[in-house]
Amino acid sequence: MSALAFIHRFEAGTRPGATPLLLLHGTGGDENDLLPLGRAVAPDAALLSPRGKVLEHGMPRFFRRLAEGVFDEDDVRRRADELAVFVESARTEYGITAPTALGYSNGANIAAAMLLLRPQVLSGAILLRAMVPLSAAPQVDLAAKPVLIMSGAQDPIVPAEKAARLADLLRASRAAVEHHVLPAGHGLSNADVTMAQQWLRKITARIDKTAAA
Ligand code: MLT
């Protein structure tokens, strides 16, 4: 039984150098939801998958919201902090390096909040159907941190303009952002998986090259 403060799943990686993934589910999901996606995107990486602690009509989330797309920003800040502490403790417990977040919807939004509030906790992020989580974003230096944003052109929950604002905000903080708009809605498509795989392979090769130099 783990003393870590979030219910979670951990799967060890099979390649020591592979960047671990922090899997962050959407509203109503849990710690099991994204394991298959994580395995597909990073077959040899360690996977750390917490369950969001906020319940909305019984559905787990990572922070409270006042309405669809309207966030309780004090709670966003508090929960991003709490999740960051969990990730740091899990790194010690499982002996892993700083993970890249792979978040979907509400999970992508808390990952974006962690990038802005606790940037040292994540080595990068894959944000699927994300939007700007804070109206007054803090000044932060994301110094070339790799971020992939995938949005859906027909997404009724995250209009393309909201995803573009997140990309702009992260770019202004010097993150290395790739933003793709897919012919999709809020749900994930095969293209999300393929493009996330390709992006992660590219990023990992870059990290390996730097480490070998
Ligand atoms: C959120 O609340 O984080 C977003 O509206 C996405 C969602 O969970 O529906």
Side-chain angles (χ1 to χ4, degrees):
M1 188 59 188
S2 165
L4 295 172
F6 278 73
I7 294 170
H8 67 281
R9 296 270 307 266
F10 176 76
E11 286 189 3
T14 52
R15 187 170 73 87
T19 303
L21 291 186
L22 172 68
L23 305 176
L24 300 167
H25 62 77
T27 303
D30 68 19
E31 66 280 14
N32 300 305
D33 259 35
L34 295 189
L35 288 171
L37 175 65
R39 228 356 115 226
V41 169
D44 51 10
L47 303 178
L48 176 64
S49 186
R51 183 195 301 179
K53 287 186 178 187
V54 170
L55 289 180
E56 186 183 89
H57 308 301
M59 295 187 294
R61 290 173 49 84
F62 286 95
F63 57 82
R64 255 186 277 279
R65 65 179 161 184
L66 308 173
E68 179 68 67
V70 184
F71 302 151
D72 174 342
E73 296 197 12
D74 287 341
D75 199 58
V76 173
R77 287 169 193 277
R78 197 165 43 240
R79 303 285 177 180
D81 235 37
E82 189 184 28
L83 189 57
V85 171
F86 163 75
V87 173
E88 298 290 13
S89 309
R91 284 188 55 186
T92 310
E93 172 128 348
Y94 297 120
I96 54 173
T97 55
T100 287
L102 169 59
Y104 167 62
S105 188
N106 179 246
N109 295 338
I110 193 76
M114 282 171 76
L115 279 174
L116 295 167
L117 297 165
R118 297 288 295 264
Q120 70 290 352
V121 173
L122 298 175
S123 54
I126 300 170
L127 307 176
L128 307 171
R129 312 297 184 269
M131 64 177 99
V132 176
L134 294 164
S135 50
Q139 287 275 333
V140 62
D141 185 2
L142 294 173
K145 212 176 273 288
V147 179
L148 174 66
I149 301 175
M150 309 272 278
S151 35
Q154 290 90 40
D155 188 339
I157 297 175
V158 187
E161 171 272 325
K162 281 197 175 179
R165 272 186 47 224
L166 177 63
D168 288 347
L169 174 66
L170 295 174
R171 278 195 192 106
S173 305
R174 300 207 305 143
V177 178
E178 246 184 62
H179 180 200
H180 299 281
V181 183
L182 302 174
H186 197 65
L188 297 180
S189 66
N190 286 337
D192 286 282
V193 184
T194 315
M195 291 176 86
Q197 277 168 341
Q198 288 168 351
W199 178 86
L200 197 64
R201 243 180 261 139
K202 191 170 68 185
I203 294 305
T204 308
R206 207 177 293 159
I207 292 170
D208 285 353
K209 224 156 122 192
T210 317

